[in-house]
Amino acid sequence: MLLTLAWGSLFFPGLFALSTWWLRRSRTAWTDSDCVMISTRLVSSVQAVLATGSGIIIIRSCKDVVTDRHWLAREYVWFLIPYMIYDYYAMYLCEWYKTKDKSHRHSLTVFQNFLSQNRLMITHHAVILFALVPVAQRLRGDLGDFFVGCIFTAELSTPFVSLGRVLIQLKQQHTLLYKVNGVLTLATFLSCRILLFPFMYWSYGQQRGLSLFQVPFHIPFHCNVANAFLIAPQIYWFSLLCRKAARLFGAPQAKKDG
């Protein structure tokens, strides 16, 4: 545990510092804000790939979705904790660089902007650190590694979301890459952050000889409540992505009609 925490504490800030340094040297036309934001997205994408890979390994290893164990189900959570703490700092640093008035750096104004602009992500990280981590590491006992692996795979959409933000930062919204990435973002977000929950219910039902619709009535009530809390923000974020996609793909047609 301590070794994994130490590795995470070095890996994520180290990757962020190294990538920021390299971008500043190799992309001299980019602003500091560009370099910091892109480095933040890079680190998020790397974490997402590691989490997704861990999740797939766990899922494939657990034949019994309730009782089978895999060491990554607990060990990767320890690796994730330093990332969540680092990401708070990275998000604040992005806000700091976006502030045009240098006199406001590290001021209360920047901090207030940081809180208002990132309140959903701040809440998301806090829920993971103070609710999901205790559940994953202690409260669930020796059960449910399969479902922890499923939750890890929800990160699959993050690299596509990050690439979209980078392309916006670089003013590349008009490119084919941006549109293709938008489609992939919607597809991965829908499959790995929303349809993931019916899949977990279905997997449990297959193990116990239940239909998908019977499963909610055969598992503890608090499991249904926890899943509802987890999927609710995903549905909200997906609705925002759909609105953005509608504007993106509707704009050319609107121009033609005009």
Side-chain angles (χ1 to χ4, degrees), residues 159-226:
F160 301 104
V161 174
S162 295
L163 178 57
R165 295 287 181 84
V166 169
L167 292 173
I168 290 173
Q169 184 79 8
L170 300 179
K171 297 179 174 58
Q172 298 296 309
Q173 300 97 312
H174 61 283
T175 62
L176 177 62
L177 175 60
Y178 183 77
K179 294 182 178 181
V180 171
N181 183 72
V183 173
L184 292 174
T185 300
L186 286 174
T188 54
F189 202 101
L190 175 63
S191 60
C192 294
R193 288 183 178 260
I194 296 178
L195 298 182
L196 172 69
F197 291 90
F199 169 74
M200 291 192 291
Y201 279 67
W202 175 84
S203 299
Y204 181 87
Q206 290 292 105
Q207 192 88 56
R208 296 294 186 264
L210 302 169
S211 71
L212 175 63
F213 301 104
Q214 290 175 315
V215 172
F217 304 101
H218 288 79
I219 62 175
F221 177 72
H222 65 266
C223 293
N224 290 316
V225 173

Side-chain angles (χ1 to χ4, degrees), residues 4 42-43 103 154 181 192 202 241:
T4 306
L42 172 64
V43 176
S103 65
N181 183 72
C192 294
W202 175 84
L241 289 174

Side-chain angles (χ1 to χ4, degrees), residues 120 185-186 189-190 193-194 231-248:
L120 285 178
T185 300
L186 286 174
F189 202 101
L190 175 63
R193 288 183 178 260
I194 296 178
I231 198 174
Q234 312 306 329
I235 293 174
Y236 172 72
W237 281 324
F238 185 68
S239 69
L240 295 182
L241 289 174
C242 288
R243 291 177 192 173
K244 188 174 182 180
R247 290 196 301 269
L248 173 65

Side-chain angles (χ1 to χ4, degrees), residues 16-166:
F16 172 76
L18 181 62
S19 59
T20 302
W21 172 80
W22 181 80
L23 287 173
R24 282 171 171 164
R25 286 179 60 88
S26 61
R27 297 290 187 269
T28 55
W30 289 1
T31 65
D32 285 341
S33 179
D34 291 335
C35 294
V36 168
M37 191 280 293
I38 292 172
S39 295
T40 301
R41 297 299 172 183
L42 172 64
V43 176
S44 296
S45 298
V46 170
Q47 190 283 134
V49 170
L50 294 174
T52 302
S54 299
I56 292 172
I57 292 172
I58 296 166
I59 292 170
R60 291 177 60 87
S61 300
C62 294
K63 304 305 180 184
D64 188 299
V65 302
V66 176
T67 60
D68 279 1
R69 308 294 309 284
H70 194 284
W71 64 271
L72 272 173
R74 292 189 185 276
E75 205 63 27
Y76 192 79
V77 174
W78 295 124
F79 192 65
L80 184 64
I81 292 172
Y83 168 76
M84 292 295 170
I85 297 172
Y86 142 81
D87 203 40
Y88 276 130
Y89 170 75
M91 287 189 293
Y92 175 76
L93 198 61
C94 287
E95 186 62 37
W96 181 60
Y97 274 108
K98 281 196 304 184
T99 303
K100 301 299 183 182
D101 188 353
K102 305 300 183 181
S103 65
H104 285 165
R105 286 185 171 186
H106 292 303
S107 69
L108 181 60
T109 302
V110 177
F111 186 69
Q112 288 174 336
N113 288 340
F114 162 69
L115 293 178
S116 63
Q117 295 295 323
N118 299 279
R119 57 184 180 276
L120 285 178
M121 193 58 65
I122 291 170
T123 303
H124 173 264
H125 284 16
V127 169
I128 291 176
L129 285 172
F130 299 112
L132 295 187
V133 168
V135 169
Q137 299 299 76
R138 300 294 181 204
L139 300 180
R140 68 185 177 91
D142 295 331
L143 304 176
D145 282 13
F146 173 86
F147 301 109
V148 173
C150 288
I151 296 299
F152 286 165
T153 63
E155 290 294 313
L156 179 61
S157 62
T158 299
F160 301 104
V161 174
S162 295
L163 178 57
R165 295 287 181 84
V166 169

